[in-house]
Amino acid sequence: MKILLNLNSSWKAINFRIGLIDSLNQLGHQVIILGPSNSCSDQYKIHGIDYHSIEVNRETINLYHDFRLTLSYIKMFKKIKPDLILSFNSKPNIFGNFAAGYLGIPVINNITGLGTLFIKKTFSNFVVKFLYRLSFRFSSHTFFNNSSDQFLFSKFKIIDSFFSSVLQWPGVNTDIYKHNKKVNHGRSFLFVGRLLVDKNIFEYLETIKVLLKENPDLEFLIAAELGFNNKTALSVSDLANSIRNTPQIKYLGEIEDMVPLYKTVDVMVLPSYRKGLSKSLLEAASMSLPLITTDVPDCKAVVVDGHNGFLFQPNDSNSLANAILKMSQIDGYVRHQMGLNGRKKVMDKFDQQLIISDYLNIIKAVGLENGFSDQS
């Protein structure tokens, strides 16, 4: 089959989906990527991927611009002529579905996170949910990272739960993200991700500064993207002002190869209100790091409190501070064992090959339903 991956970031195709892409190529499928162009575009040729560029405003809903985006999808789908579309992220899911439905192309959708969609009751969120409900009538199957997101989409009548399933995407290549950490001192804490309000970044930074007053030997590293278009994002000046005169907080910028960084730190921290299954949490766990994260459905899929890390209550800076202190003060053997427990959990449940196998089975089933043989 000719299979199109429709994304809002071409970078994500290389960093999150390359295992799936390689598996599809090995099975004889032709893989095409559709997404905004960026510096990763040159890497597509290495993996035998045909690439087409389309402009997608990732962060804001504008019905006029998004109607034009739908028309652009129709134009590109007619040009590419895919047999099946694998759609990721909100705008490709919604407006790509409208275009695919118009052209009669089957789509497998992937809900990798809900962000603030079901957190805040705003008019724009109401509109987005309405658009999801209309567009997902054209979905052949929908994957979710966790059962709570699947339940919410079913509750709001966006999907028929029969044509959906939970898949712990994106999974981790446990052969790459592997480290035998012999000693864990519990002194160096790492945050990885975009600096957004819904990742609790403001409260996290303030909590750190309070902790450092009595625990100045702790170190907090931030590997994150700055300067992107999101109204809830921390700006460059905001971050600079927040960490000024606090040398124990170090901003590292965006890190392309995370493996060497994971090897140098002791603990991974993700203070998120809600997100899809965190790739950074999975990577850190696979690298045998204990974890600290929020007691919300997506994060609890990775962390069992007291087993491979600690959970803290959302919107509770004291709970977050206590989790960090507890992790730094427990016996080193216990901390080391937590890291080993996390590694085992990832290998048993989140290994990339296990997840890709389940994904390929759905692709095969949808293909057969639409008249394509195993060899198509």
Side-chain angles (χ1 to χ4, degrees):
M1 288 189 292
K2 184 186 286 188
I3 298 177
L4 174 67
L5 272 68
N6 187 20
L7 310 99
N8 70 3
S9 168
S10 302
W11 172 84
K12 291 180 180 178
I14 294 297
N15 286 272
F16 293 174
R17 319 294 173 200
I18 197 62
L20 173 63
I21 291 169
D22 287 344
S23 295
L24 289 170
N25 282 331
Q26 291 170 13
L27 289 171
H29 298 293
Q30 180 184 354
V31 178
I32 307 101
I33 289 176
L34 179 63
S37 60
N38 62 15
S39 59
C40 289
S41 302
D42 293 339
Q43 297 185 40
Y44 300 140
K45 293 180 181 179
I46 298 174
H47 297 275
I49 305 168
D50 185 13
Y51 167 71
H52 296 267
S53 176
I54 189 170
E55 293 304 314
V56 181
N57 184 332
R58 292 166 53 184
E59 306 299 348
T60 59
I61 290 290
N62 180 302
L63 294 182
Y64 171 72
H65 290 136
D66 292 332
F67 175 72
R68 291 177 61 86
L69 175 61
T70 304
L71 296 179
S72 296
Y73 277 134
I74 291 173
K75 179 180 178 180
M76 294 304 299
F77 293 170
K78 283 184 175 180
K79 177 182 177 181
I80 297 169
K81 295 182 174 60
D83 300 312
L84 174 66
I85 297 172
L86 309 181
S87 190
F88 302 83
N89 319 114
S90 58
K91 289 204 173 184
N93 275 330
I94 294 172
F95 303 107
N97 269 27
F98 284 134
Y102 174 75
L103 297 173
I105 304 171
V107 183
I108 294 176
N109 293 103
N110 300 265
I111 304 299
T112 54
L114 299 183
T116 60
L117 180 61
F118 290 95
I119 296 175
K120 299 179 180 179
K121 294 182 179 180
T122 65
F123 177 72
S124 60
N125 283 352
F126 171 81
V127 171
V128 173
K129 281 184 273 192
F130 176 71
L131 291 172
Y132 265 122
R133 189 176 300 117
L134 289 180
S135 64
F136 271 49
R137 294 181 301 166
F138 306 112
S139 179
S140 296
H141 194 89
T142 304
F143 283 115
F144 294 87
N145 275 353
N146 59 70
S147 58
S148 63
D149 288 354
Q150 183 187 38
F151 170 78
L152 286 173
F153 267 57
S154 180
K155 175 183 175 181
F156 285 93
K157 302 187 186 306
I158 296 172
I159 59 154
D160 182 337
S161 58
F162 181 77
F163 297 104
S164 69
S165 56
V166 175
L167 190 68
Q168 309 288 3
W169 193 264
V172 177
N173 186 329
T174 55
D175 292 328
I176 293 177
Y177 292 92
K178 181 179 181 179
H179 179 52
N180 182 20
K181 192 174 184 68
K182 299 184 183 301
V183 180
N184 190 313
H185 299 287
R187 287 290 173 265
S188 181
F189 295 78
L190 173 67
F191 168 89
V192 180
R194 295 189 295 169
L195 298 182
L196 301 176
V197 170
D198 62 336
K199 296 189 190 300
N200 206 8
I201 189 62
F202 291 108
E203 291 86 345
Y204 179 54
L205 291 173
E206 291 306 312
T207 299
I208 289 172
K209 286 187 284 187
V210 172
L211 280 173
L212 287 172
K213 291 179 180 178
E214 296 186 3
N215 303 272
D217 58 332
L218 298 182
E219 178 184 50
F220 296 88
L221 306 179
I222 298 173
E225 178 183 0
L226 274 175
F228 51 88
N229 179 25
N230 187 303
K231 61 185 179 181
T232 70
L234 196 68
S235 69
V236 175
S237 59
D238 288 336
L239 179 61
N241 290 333
S242 184
I243 67 176
R244 183 177 289 119
N245 301 320
T246 314
Q248 298 96 328
I249 304 177
K250 299 177 181 178
Y251 175 61
L252 306 177
E254 286 189 81
I255 306 295
E256 289 191 8
D257 184 2
M258 289 296 300
V259 172
L261 179 57
Y262 287 133
K263 289 181 178 180
T264 65
V265 299
D266 297 315
V267 183
M268 171 72 183
V269 183
L270 183 67
S272 177
Y273 294 148
R274 182 185 186 90
K275 72 183 304 297
L277 191 63
S278 169
K279 185 172 186 285
S280 59
L281 277 183
L282 294 177
E283 290 174 352
S286 187
M287 294 287 293
S288 301
L289 293 179
L291 312 173
I292 296 175
T293 192
T294 323
D295 190 1
V296 294
D298 307 299
C299 300
K300 287 196 297 184
V302 183
V303 179
V304 177
D305 190 52
H307 178 71
N308 62 325
F310 293 127
L311 296 170
F312 63 91
Q313 295 305 305
N315 304 308
D316 189 337
S317 58
N318 289 329
S319 180
L320 170 57
N322 290 335
I324 294 173
L325 279 178
K326 187 175 181 180
M327 183 65 77
S328 68
Q329 294 171 354
I330 60 174
D331 184 82
Y333 172 80
V334 176
R335 203 164 37 239
H336 181 261
Q337 188 61 45
M338 280 186 173
L340 297 180
N341 292 341
R343 166 76 180 174
K344 185 177 187 304
K345 183 178 179 67
V346 169
M347 294 184 69
D348 290 345
K349 191 174 181 181
F350 300 107
D351 185 271
Q352 188 179 74
Q353 290 308 310
L354 297 175
I355 293 164
I356 289 174
S357 178
D358 290 341
Y359 203 105
L360 292 176
N361 287 334
I362 294 296
I363 289 176
K364 178 180 177 181
V366 172
L368 291 173
E369 288 172 4
N370 288 273
F372 298 100
S373 67
D374 292 355
Q375 288 75 36
S376 294

